[in-house]
Amino acid sequence: MNTMEKTLRSPVSQRPHEIKKTDQLTGIGAEVSIELNGIKMKVPIGKTILEICRDNNIHIPTLCYHEDLCIAGNCRLCLVEIEGMRTLQTSCSFPVTSPIKIKTFSDKVRKARKHIVGLMLSEHYGECYSCVRNNNCELQSLAREYGIDNYEFGHICSPRYNVDKSSQAVIRDMDKCILCRRCVRTCIDLQEVGVLEAVNRGYDTKISTFMDKPLADVVCINCGQCINRCPTAALHANDPSDEIWKAIEDPEKHVILQTAPSPRASLGEEFGLPPGHSMTGQLNTAARRMGFDRVFDTNFSADLTIMEEGTELLNRLRKALVEKDTSVRLPQFTSCSPGWIKFIEHFYPEYLDYLSTAKSPQQMFGSVIKTFYADESGIDPANIVNVALMPCAAKKFECNRPEMNSSGFKDIDYGLTTREMAKMIREAGLVLPDLPKSGFDDPFGEASGAGLIFGSTGGVMEAALRTVYELVTGRVVPFKNLNIEVCRGMKGIKEASVKLENCRPEFSFLEGIDLKFIVAHGTANAKVVMDMLKNGELKDYHFVEIMACPGGCIGGGGQPIPTSESIRKLRAKAIYEEEAGLPVRKSHENPHIKYIYEKFLKDGPCGKLSHKLLHTHYVKRGKFIN
Amino acid sequence: MTDKDKKIKTEFIASLVRLYGKDRSSLLPVLQEFQKKFRYIDEYSQQEIADALSIHPVEVNSIISFYAFLYDKPRGKHTIRICKNIVCKFHGNKELSKFMEKKVSEFNKDKSEESKITIEYVNCIGLCDRSPSMLVDEKVYEKINPHNAEAILEELS
Ligand code: SF4
Ligand code: SF4
Ligand code: SF4
Ligand code: FES
């Protein structure tokens, strides 16, 4: 017994852990020698035990830890044993600062973890075979990992809570919640929306909305990011696949699937492929075999969006610079992300005029299909069922917005997420990666690469610049291979500019102007940008792209689970790679776009018919809940 | 709630925030002071407080639900908290509770919601050596029996 132990009266657990001198203490990057499962190694001071274990391919179970989120340390599953410490320590929140000896799977550790899982299961109402997360649930895999073969601490037999099905996007089933608070940290820290928090204490603790109101009545922007990070089925999307199957089986109905770029880049993950494989062709085949009557490419309407949004930007610039119209709002903000739209409607309602009035590609396509396509193909629009395969939970809300019926019908009938599509493909008995590739149906055919890169953060900006720059100057954008690298990458807020020189005569008012733009993703970053706008710091900016989800659509709330920055980067890479090989890479050069402006939207982009079909208005919601 | 009530509350919150500072760490004192004046923290005021401190309403709600002494629903004028822990049980808290329940229900008869008394059973309040014990609002009472309890109740009316 050393002197400290002799003189201290406090119980062992409360004694300070003595920090031994490290090997080298000069400057950042100092190292300390530790022993991990008996293996000696040097690690940088401050790295957590969990990180060290991951670096060394040692698996530590975690539930509350998530790469995208701050550390919470509340699930206790990542416990490890440290020699000399009486209690087990949570590796996710234990930075190494002294030469310690760690055991990650001692008897004590394994028993503790098994008990923790057992205790979680004792309050976990539900059975895996009737659960949407069956086979992709972190709790379930832990139960397997720790060999849980009975309910050691009992099992709750009746539900404690009602399932909240009020939202069109997110369903909350709190009986499956294990209180890891990933959703809370997602919604507050990552998205800055602040819908969810833990309320009450002890056994009564639960995750709740403000005053326990239905999710549809609070400020939820439907981004679905909480779903992607929930380890269990407590949060899941509102699944319309039963209705879609019904429509497919109805011979009267003409069921059209439009596929957005991001689901194609991630769908393979649902079939066991590593992230980063594009499944565009296979998906088309799968959809046809499942009985969809037509498969269209949302990139077509993304091209349409670029034409409309780009023209709108030029119109705004003309009004502001030539006509000196002070009512024109600049910078113009993109409007393709329905989560972002609801965010600004709630939190910055006084700035709605800054938004482009262009609808999102999904909704544009809906109204074009139920008017132009219905006409051309002689199908009664009342019999068309529009299904949109999206990476997004908010699209479910968007297509149900009451104003989204400019075709005279509900423009888009169902928003389907990547995960739900994968489920439908599995139900149809198809193995996606094994299917032959096929193309998209006419009259919209293959779209341009500009539409494809919409899927990643910065994509809309890049696509718009390619078109706007060329419209204004008559030359292609001054970037190598059309790749505007400044728009790419996962930095939260990116800004850059392009100089407009030697403009065409009709755009002489833009001569010499630095077209300044900002790209932000994740609504926490959107908030930063909006506060800059509020403080008058964006006066000389022209165009801002905002996507509600971290990483843009490839990180959408409907995408395969799990998600992390590295996964998002791989998905983005798949998109950019596919794009680089496409023959047409500029929206205005898409022949089908030219065709639709010749044949149907005859008064051109932002013309009268476009305004009716392709543009929309927004609702001042405000953040106060009554 | 009328617009006038709302205005009064918003102004009061603003004055509290001026006093304690526009920081999330001011939340608890703001909530306590607010409750002292308005007896409970209603939905509207929770949102106003959140707004004034730049946090989310659901966080305010979460804090209120965590602390037993903060309320988000209206309650009577007085709250009696009787300890339900084992030592108080040994010393006759059962009889005490029965007696109190009866007396309080008599007291509450024909009273408006606002002037009623609420009884709550709480975990140990740290007075085991002087049990049975209870709290009336913020005041501590020790070694209670039906006899001195009656006097305490009389004081409340
Ligand atoms: S949430 Fe996970 S553990 Fe719970 S029932 Fe569903 S699959 Fe099973
Ligand atoms: S969908 Fe988005 S806004 Fe809604 S609760 Fe989840 S994270 Fe928050
Ligand atoms: S809802 Fe999901 S993410 Fe949120 S605390 Fe419960 S289990 Fe964790
Ligand atoms: S992962 Fe470390 S405590 Fe939850």
Side-chain angles (χ1 to χ4, degrees):
Chain A
M1 233 186 230
N2 66 26
T3 26
M4 193 176 87
E5 273 182 48
K6 260 185 250 160
T7 45
L8 278 176
R9 276 186 59 223
S10 58
V12 181
S13 63
Q14 286 170 24
R15 281 178 213 170
H17 174 60
E18 189 193 358
I19 297 187
K20 299 208 187 80
K21 259 216 162 122
T22 57
D23 307 1
Q24 168 214 347
L25 263 180
T26 45
I28 301 171
E31 285 191 332
V32 52
S33 312
I34 59 162
E35 220 179 283
L36 184 56
N37 291 341
I39 303 167
K40 290 200 173 69
M41 57 181 73
K42 282 188 178 233
V43 295
I45 288 182
K47 234 185 182 186
T48 63
I49 298 179
L50 180 65
E51 286 167 332
I52 296 167
C53 289
R54 293 206 166 165
D55 290 348
N56 288 287
N57 290 326
I58 293 173
H59 172 71
I60 303 270
T62 51
L63 273 178
C64 66
Y65 176 86
H66 194 284
E67 274 177 59
D68 290 335
L69 306 172
C70 68
I71 287 165
N74 59 30
C75 77
R76 320 306 290 175
L77 262 163
C78 62
L79 292 172
V80 293
E81 191 174 346
I82 297 172
E83 206 180 278
M85 289 197 171
R86 194 188 64 109
T87 51
L88 300 175
Q89 301 293 324
T90 48
S91 61
C92 69
S93 56
F94 194 109
V96 175
T97 53
S98 58
I100 46 174
K101 290 182 181 164
I102 308 160
K103 281 190 218 142
T104 64
F105 59 87
S106 63
D107 189 45
K108 206 169 163 189
V109 171
R110 277 179 291 121
K111 206 175 265 165
R113 288 187 189 151
K114 192 170 177 178
H115 283 174
I116 294 170
V117 177
L119 283 168
M120 280 178 179
L121 292 179
S122 73
E123 282 174 31
H124 189 79
Y125 172 73
E127 297 291 351
C128 299
Y129 35 73
S130 58
C131 180
V132 286
R133 286 293 289 273
N134 194 358
N135 253 333
N136 184 13
C137 168
E138 294 177 39
L139 182 61
Q140 189 187 41
S141 13
L142 281 173
R144 179 161 165 258
E145 225 171 277
Y146 287 90
I148 306 278
D149 52 5
N150 65 342
Y151 293 124
E152 204 178 338
F153 302 101
H155 187 54
I156 186 169
C157 297
S158 47
R160 290 164 76 191
Y161 306 110
N162 292 328
V163 180
D164 178 0
K165 292 186 180 168
S166 63
S167 161
Q168 276 143 344
V170 184
I171 293 180
R172 299 174 61 237
D173 178 359
M174 286 303 111
D175 280 313
K176 301 245 162 70
C177 174
I178 52 158
L179 299 171
C180 67
R181 293 163 176 77
R182 280 192 196 167
C183 55
V184 172
R185 283 171 285 151
T186 303
C187 199
I188 292 182
D189 297 337
L190 201 64
Q191 294 297 76
E192 281 273 10
V193 182
V195 169
L196 305 171
E197 245 301 1
V199 298
N200 304 333
R201 240 174 318 150
Y203 181 73
D204 298 322
T205 309
K206 63 169 182 175
I207 306 296
S208 167
T209 56
F210 180 63
M211 295 299 275
D212 219 354
K213 289 178 188 290
L215 197 59
D217 295 353
V218 295
V219 291
C220 173
I221 63 167
N222 304 307
C223 66
Q225 289 302 312
C226 49
I227 301 179
N228 285 15
R229 287 171 185 77
C230 180
T232 68
L235 297 167
H236 56 95
N238 199 347
D239 182 358
S241 53
D242 286 345
E243 281 105 319
I244 296 171
W245 279 125
K246 215 179 270 166
I248 289 177
E249 259 145 48
D250 184 343
E252 293 269 285
K253 299 283 184 212
H254 186 74
V255 188
I256 296 174
L257 180 73
Q258 55 160 304
T259 73
S262 309
R264 308 175 202 159
S266 63
L267 199 57
E269 293 164 38
E270 288 276 344
F271 293 87
L273 295 181
H277 287 269
S278 194
M279 287 280 123
T280 313
Q282 291 89 331
L283 174 59
N284 290 345
T285 311
R288 289 198 181 89
R289 292 201 184 164
M290 285 158 70
F292 285 99
D293 296 290
R294 291 284 180 281
V295 194
F296 293 147
D297 187 351
T298 307
N299 298 352
F300 163 81
S301 54
D303 285 337
L304 206 54
T305 305
I306 289 299
M307 297 305 289
E308 295 293 329
E309 220 166 63
T311 310
E312 187 185 356
L313 176 67
L314 291 174
N315 287 347
R316 284 194 193 196
L317 286 169
R318 178 179 289 118
K319 271 193 200 143
L321 297 172
V322 181
E323 296 159 26
K324 306 281 176 217
D325 183 344
T326 47
S327 68
V328 172
R329 294 283 173 261
L330 282 168
Q332 175 177 306
F333 282 72
T334 58
S335 56
C336 326
S337 166
W340 150 240
I341 296 299
K342 196 148 181 269
F343 183 84
I344 186 174
E345 286 177 336
H346 278 305
F347 298 102
Y348 297 92
E350 54 296 18
Y351 293 96
L352 290 178
D353 291 342
Y354 286 81
L355 281 178
S356 160
T357 56
K359 284 183 188 171
S360 70
Q362 160 180 301
Q363 293 305 128
M364 282 200 183
F365 219 159
S367 43
V368 167
I369 289 172
K370 290 201 178 175
T371 52
F372 172 67
Y373 170 78
D375 249 17
E376 284 227 323
S377 55
I379 297 169
D380 180 358
N383 281 332
I384 294 182
V385 177
N386 265 330
V387 180
L389 169 59
M390 294 287 149
C392 181
K395 293 280 177 197
K396 294 174 189 286
F397 172 84
E398 184 186 30
C399 74
N400 284 309
R401 288 177 73 118
E403 67 273 19
M404 292 296 178
N405 59 356
S406 36
S407 60
F409 301 87
K410 192 177 169 203
D411 290 337
I412 291 290
D413 296 272
Y414 304 108
L416 189 68
T417 64
T418 315
R419 294 189 296 267
E420 291 150 3
M421 185 70 193
K423 191 199 83 184
M424 289 179 76
I425 295 174
R426 279 194 294 266
E427 274 180 274
L430 300 169
V431 184
L432 188 76
D434 297 348
L435 295 178
K437 296 181 183 183
S438 61
F440 290 98
D441 285 313
D442 282 335
F444 304 110
E446 312 293 329
S448 84
L452 183 63
I453 56 173
F454 260 58
S456 181
T457 165
V460 178
M461 185 59 70
E462 182 165 348
L465 287 177
R466 287 181 192 170
T467 291
V468 168
Y469 190 89
E470 203 163 322
L471 282 182
V472 171
T473 66
R475 300 181 307 275
V476 294
V477 276
F479 293 93
K480 199 177 162 213
N481 295 336
L482 293 178
N483 296 342
I484 310 183
E485 291 290 344
V486 284
C487 295
R488 302 185 181 184
M490 293 294 158
K491 201 169 152 227
I493 299 174
K494 292 164 274 190
E495 53 179 303
S497 62
V498 195
K499 206 170 184 78
L500 300 172
E501 281 169 318
N502 300 328
C503 299
R504 285 178 166 163
E506 63 267 40
F507 292 109
S508 56
F509 63 95
L510 291 173
E511 187 62 49
I513 275 190
D514 244 342
L515 194 69
K516 287 178 86 174
F517 54 87
I518 292 181
V519 174
H521 58 119
T523 40
N525 291 318
K527 186 168 183 271
V528 176
V529 174
M530 288 314 287
D531 288 338
M532 283 162 75
L533 178 68
K534 227 175 173 172
N535 299 335
E537 290 163 35
L538 296 187
K539 284 214 176 76
D540 48 351
Y541 285 80
H542 306 100
F543 201 19
V544 180
E545 177 204 300
I546 295 203
M547 290 290 159
C549 292
C553 311
I554 43 146
Q559 291 282 63
I561 298 169
T563 184
S564 70
E565 182 151 314
S566 49
I567 294 176
R568 296 193 288 273
K569 276 185 181 153
L570 287 170
R571 289 178 190 157
K573 198 169 140 244
I575 284 185
Y576 285 122
E577 274 172 11
E578 189 181 345
E579 199 261 345
L582 288 183
V584 181
R585 296 180 62 203
K586 289 174 260 172
S587 301
H588 56 283
E589 285 177 0
N590 176 346
H592 305 282
I593 289 288
K594 290 184 184 158
Y595 181 77
I596 197 171
Y597 281 113
E598 263 163 38
K599 283 272 145 65
F600 182 59
L601 304 163
K602 286 184 190 133
D603 36 8
C606 291
K608 226 171 143 199
L609 191 56
S610 300
H611 255 284
K612 179 168 174 279
L613 293 179
L614 308 182
H615 290 255
T616 184
H617 56 269
Y618 307 106
V619 188
K620 281 193 177 165
R621 291 178 202 271
K623 65 178 172 182
F624 273 81
I625 304 161
N626 285 317
Chain B
M1 207 187 301
T2 64
D3 283 350
K4 205 176 133 216
D5 289 340
K6 283 187 182 171
K7 209 174 147 223
I8 293 172
K9 287 182 171 165
T10 308
E11 275 167 13
F12 185 60
I13 291 165
S15 72
L16 291 176
V17 171
R18 270 198 302 279
L19 182 65
Y20 291 107
K22 191 181 158 69
D23 187 87
R24 59 186 302 143
S25 60
S26 315
L27 178 59
L28 273 182
V30 169
L31 290 176
Q32 282 170 323
E33 292 295 321
F34 184 90
Q35 184 170 284
K36 238 180 233 164
K37 182 157 173 166
F38 294 101
R39 294 197 352 269
Y40 77 104
I41 307 147
D42 58 281
E43 242 176 80
Y44 170 80
S45 306
Q46 287 182 38
Q47 297 186 63
E48 284 289 308
I49 291 171
D51 198 39
L53 296 176
S54 299
I55 55 179
H56 301 287
V58 72
E59 294 179 276
V60 175
N61 196 211
S62 157
I63 294 290
I64 294 174
S65 73
F66 184 86
Y67 289 105
F69 281 62
L70 293 173
Y71 323 123
D72 60 8
K73 289 190 188 59
R75 29 166 85 210
K77 198 169 178 183
H78 300 290
T79 307
I80 298 180
R81 294 184 169 84
I82 303 175
C83 179
K84 65 172 179 191
N85 261 30
I86 186 137
V87 183
C88 285
K89 273 205 177 129
F90 279 149
H91 290 96
N93 110 324
K94 213 172 186 180
E95 293 77 51
L96 174 69
S97 327
K98 239 192 218 154
F99 176 80
M100 293 299 267
E101 298 264 0
K102 194 167 139 249
K103 282 284 162 194
V104 165
S105 76
E106 275 167 26
F107 177 95
N108 283 349
K109 218 184 261 167
D110 314 320
K111 290 254 165 41
S112 69
E113 280 304 320
E114 288 182 10
S115 38
K116 279 186 179 160
I117 294 179
T118 313
I119 293 190
E120 264 180 14
Y121 295 94
V122 298
N123 285 317
C124 186
I125 51 179
L127 293 166
C128 308
D129 54 334
R130 277 157 282 171
S131 58
S133 55
M134 66 179 193
L135 284 168
V136 177
D137 299 327
E138 282 170 14
K139 222 166 151 190
V140 180
Y141 291 89
E142 309 154 349
K143 296 206 172 161
I144 311 157
N145 51 40
H147 181 68
N148 51 24
E150 185 129 36
I152 298 167
L153 275 177
E154 249 149 50
E155 259 174 56
L156 293 181
S157 39

